[in-house]
Amino acid sequence: QYYQQTQLHNNIGLCYVYQRLFPEAFSQFQQQTNSTTYINLGVYHQLRKEYDTALTYFNAALEAVKDHPLDTATIHSYLGLLYCDRRQWAASLKHYEHALEMYKN
């Protein structure tokens, strides 16, 4: 039941993000704290060009899933996108390569 409720808040929040209704999205994301929520909050702040805050949430997501390689690889992909948005190509490539290596393993 907790998982379903968490997914519901995250899905509603993502719908708001894609519509650029940021206050409503943030309200939904704040109701839960798990790795998916941290990722969504990272995306939320990245779209608002609040890159340092986005990085904080992506790092929190990494910490939450540190024992799960596939989830960790996914978050490294998001970090690659974040650094690409910031035009930090070397950092972006590093995260993409790390994610690729994890997916291969």
Side-chain angles (χ1 to χ4, degrees):
Q1 184 177 9
Y2 173 78
Y3 175 78
Q4 289 175 337
Q5 182 180 357
T6 298
Q7 287 303 106
L8 180 64
H9 285 294
N10 277 302
N11 290 341
I12 291 170
L14 282 175
C15 285
Y16 285 131
V17 164
Y18 292 128
Q19 295 176 64
R20 301 293 198 258
L21 300 171
F22 294 117
E24 292 86 348
F26 192 67
S27 172
Q28 290 297 316
F29 293 146
Q30 283 185 311
Q31 296 186 39
Q32 303 299 321
T33 53
N34 62 31
S35 62
T36 304
T37 303
Y38 292 141
I39 291 168
N40 289 338
L41 282 165
V43 170
Y44 166 86
H45 287 286
Q46 183 176 348
L47 289 172
R48 294 178 56 111
K49 305 212 183 301
E50 298 167 348
Y51 298 119
D52 291 335
T53 305
L55 185 58
T56 299
Y57 282 109
F58 287 136
N59 284 329
L62 273 178
E63 183 62 28
V65 299
K66 63 185 172 192
D67 297 327
H68 303 280
L70 286 177
D71 293 336
T72 301
T74 300
I75 296 166
H76 278 288
S77 294
Y78 280 107
L79 285 164
L81 285 171
L82 174 71
Y83 284 108
C84 190
D85 277 357
R86 296 179 87 169
R87 300 198 181 325
Q88 295 177 341
W89 313 120
S92 177
L93 184 59
K94 181 185 100 176
H95 284 286
Y96 283 136
E97 288 174 339
H98 191 69
L100 180 60
E101 192 60 35
M102 295 184 88
Y103 284 130
K104 285 180 181 178
N105 291 334

